[in-house]
Amino acid sequence: MLTLKLISEETERVVKGLEKKHFENAKETIAQALDIDKKRRESQQKLDKNKQEANQLSKKIGGLMKDKKMDEANEIKAQVADLKKEAKSLQDAMETAEHELTELLCTIPNIPNADVPEGKDASDNVVVKEGGVIPDLPDDALCHWDLCKKYNLIDFDLGVKITGAGFPIYIGKMARFQRALEAFFLEEARKAGYLEVQPPFVVNQASGYGTGQLPDKEGQMYHVQLDDLYLIPTAEVPVTNIFRDVILDEKDLPIKRCAYSACFRREAGSYGKDVRGLNRLHQFDKVELVRIDRPEHSYQSLQEMLNHVEGLCQKLELPYHILKLCGGDMSFTSSICYDFEVWSAAQKRWLEVSSVSNFETYQANRLKCRYRHTDDGKIELCHTLNGSALALPRIVASILENNQTPNGIRVPKALVPYCGFEMIDDQNF
């Protein structure tokens, strides 16, 4: 959530940033927020003056009664009673304005960093780096869903029977391969200084609000209505919320956490897109990186996270490119975002496998995640960052397709110690 300080002191920059994100009626919405805040502050000032006057009058009552000046005392009592009624009205007006302001601020996305390119949609994203070698497969190369059927690796139909579309069942070597990828990603994160945590896979409303998933504008979260809990769309939500309502010490920053989780997404509105096989699931596994940092250091942290994810793609021997997202294709909460896509050789298309984002103070303001300066004790909002490292389904799809041979599917060397086999073939156990 944007801070009122930023909105009021840098109104023009905020409006231009929202327009860069193609947020409709940016100027009008910001003007409305400032107007509501003005009414809130005016009510607060009147309330403070009211209470001060009531306190001053109340102090006179005792002395007047002591001097037997009952008529004057009763007159002042009546004035104090009227002031209290007025105070109640002012308090209600202030609370109403605060509620309206909070609701309005929740509808306003984060503003993009100055380095974010202009653009309306994914076609305007900018490739900033490429790596790896795109394999030259024969014309009869199979897409991953056919490879999974050939080697009995994933049963999509059985998942439909048990749950529904988008909930596949992994079998034999593929189940072990999934586990190997999770262990590999977590171990690489540990080596990079991230402390592993194991979070809940469901969160309460306050947690969803803290990281910006709620209010759920796109209907992507699964809601357990009876308990008012939400299945997490990413481990970012519970891990970042560890630091909700916390004041950290500057010397402890940056904080680095990693977590494996299952992720649940309704993928509302994705019908008609390419959803075959592992390309788009309702449940999938992912390892997530989260950082909490000082504002002046957060972009160094962002670069370190980008380097880490790039290193994973290189170790998995996957062709990749890195995209800097344009204003119109960024998420609601991010200030800057980079997507990693890997090449899926049989599908002949790029598949997104990671988003690495800096949210600056946007999430921290919702979370009330702050830090105390070592020198002067000043308390300031942190910057929060997160990135997928990595999401499994499309990584698996790319590995299967890119490494298929007449004798089976070659396992990248970095994964062999984790899964215990070098080939995925007919011996699927």
Side-chain angles (χ1 to χ4, degrees):
M1 188 163 61
L2 297 177
T3 65
L4 280 171
K5 185 175 187 294
L6 176 66
I7 291 173
S8 60
E9 293 181 0
E10 302 183 58
T11 306
E12 186 177 351
R13 183 169 79 89
V14 170
V15 170
K16 286 183 177 179
L18 294 175
E19 289 173 346
K20 192 176 189 179
K21 259 195 175 180
H22 297 268
F23 178 67
E24 293 185 2
N25 303 316
K27 190 173 183 178
E28 293 80 0
T29 303
I30 292 302
Q32 184 183 358
L34 291 173
D35 184 58
I36 295 172
D37 183 51
K38 181 182 177 182
K39 291 176 182 177
R40 180 192 64 81
R41 286 186 287 106
E42 287 174 348
S43 295
Q44 179 70 69
Q45 288 169 0
K46 290 177 182 178
L47 180 61
D48 292 342
K49 184 179 179 180
N50 175 291
K51 288 182 177 179
Q52 184 181 19
E53 186 178 350
N55 287 336
Q56 289 172 348
L57 288 172
S58 296
K59 289 177 182 178
K60 294 179 181 180
I61 295 173
L64 290 170
M65 294 183 69
K66 186 177 180 181
D67 294 338
K68 310 278 190 208
K69 297 179 179 180
M70 302 306 294
D71 290 342
E72 291 183 43
N74 288 333
E75 184 179 336
I76 291 178
K77 282 183 181 180
Q79 291 178 33
V80 170
D82 288 341
L83 285 170
K84 286 184 177 179
K85 287 180 182 178
E86 184 185 358
K88 176 67 169 59
S89 177
L90 289 169
Q91 182 72 38
D92 290 345
M94 187 182 70
E95 289 178 356
T96 297
E98 286 177 345
H99 178 72
E100 289 178 359
L101 183 59
T102 299
E103 283 200 331
L104 181 61
L105 290 175
C106 284
T107 69
I108 302 173
N110 198 0
I111 59 172
N113 181 276
D115 287 340
V116 172
E118 297 280 355
K120 291 184 178 180
D121 52 39
S123 63
D124 295 317
N125 294 337
V126 179
V127 177
V128 295
K129 194 171 185 180
E130 297 178 323
V133 178
I134 293 178
D136 184 17
L137 297 184
D139 293 337
D140 61 351
L142 300 178
C143 291
H144 69 271
W145 49 83
D146 291 323
L147 290 167
C148 288
K149 187 174 183 179
K150 177 179 180 180
Y151 295 113
N152 191 30
L153 301 175
I154 301 176
D155 195 322
F156 294 98
D157 293 334
L158 191 55
V160 171
K161 171 188 172 181
I162 295 171
T163 307
F167 296 89
I169 290 182
Y170 302 90
I171 301 166
K173 279 188 174 179
M174 182 48 62
R176 292 167 62 189
F177 192 64
Q178 289 271 122
R179 180 157 42 93
L181 277 165
E182 294 157 12
F184 169 68
F185 292 147
L186 286 170
E187 183 61 15
E188 289 296 307
R190 187 194 67 80
K191 290 176 183 177
Y194 290 86
L195 179 68
E196 182 181 351
V197 295
Q198 206 171 63
F201 291 178
V202 292
V203 294
N204 57 29
Q205 194 174 85
S207 294
Y209 170 83
T211 44
Q213 277 71 27
L214 293 176
D216 185 6
K217 293 158 288 298
E218 298 176 350
Q220 296 289 18
M221 295 180 75
Y222 284 100
H223 185 203
V224 184
Q225 293 185 346
L226 183 63
D227 301 297
D228 196 19
L229 296 173
Y230 295 83
L231 277 66
I232 62 170
T234 165
E236 167 203 345
V237 182
V239 175
T240 310
N241 270 277
I242 291 171
F243 305 98
R244 174 159 44 95
D245 297 320
V246 171
I247 299 176
L248 302 161
D249 288 328
E250 183 178 15
K251 62 180 175 58
D252 296 328
L253 301 177
I255 284 173
K256 302 163 69 174
R257 298 289 184 267
C258 69
Y260 153 79
S261 79
C263 302
F264 304 89
R265 299 184 186 178
R266 293 185 62 245
E267 294 293 355
S270 66
Y271 307 104
K273 297 181 181 178
D274 190 348
V275 297
R276 195 168 184 187
L278 297 170
N279 289 344
R280 195 175 296 272
L281 301 178
H282 294 303
Q283 177 183 324
F284 60 92
D285 292 345
K286 182 157 67 80
V287 170
E288 192 78 1
L289 306 179
V290 170
R291 285 203 187 201
I292 313 291
D293 208 346
R294 295 174 289 121
E296 60 267 28
H297 188 262
S298 71
Y299 277 86
Q300 181 176 328
S301 276
L302 178 67
Q303 187 58 54
E304 290 173 6
M305 295 174 77
L306 292 171
N307 294 343
H308 180 83
V309 176
E310 183 179 10
L312 296 177
C313 294
Q314 291 169 345
K315 289 174 183 177
L316 292 176
E317 306 166 40
L318 291 172
Y320 65 91
H321 65 200
I322 307 173
L323 301 168
K324 183 187 287 186
L325 299 195
C326 69
D329 197 38
M330 288 172 61
S331 74
F332 187 84
T333 51
S334 59
S335 180
I336 191 167
C337 180
Y338 292 84
D339 274 3
F340 282 77
E341 295 182 337
V342 295
W343 181 249
S344 187
Q347 296 182 76
K348 301 187 186 307
R349 61 189 293 242
W350 293 100
L351 303 176
E352 180 197 331
V353 294
S354 175
S355 290
V356 181
S357 302
N358 188 342
F359 304 99
E360 296 191 359
T361 61
Y362 191 86
Q363 285 184 335
N365 189 35
R366 285 173 170 246
L367 294 159
K368 298 297 178 280
C369 175
R370 296 161 289 173
Y371 76 100
R372 182 180 285 105
H373 286 257
T374 302
D375 294 338
D376 56 13
K378 178 185 175 184
I379 293 176
E380 185 178 349
L381 287 171
C382 298
H383 279 195
T384 64
L385 307 91
N386 80 270
S388 311
L390 287 161
L392 268 65
R394 295 170 188 166
I395 285 287
V396 171
S398 182
I399 289 175
L400 293 179
E401 293 184 15
N402 294 1
N403 295 293
Q404 57 185 296
T405 75
N407 300 317
I409 301 160
R410 183 184 64 82
V411 174
K413 291 181 181 178
L415 291 178
V416 173
Y418 293 89
C419 63
F421 49 84
E422 297 181 357
M423 294 288 289
I424 298 173
D425 50 29
D426 291 324
Q427 301 298 313
N428 183 27
F429 59 86

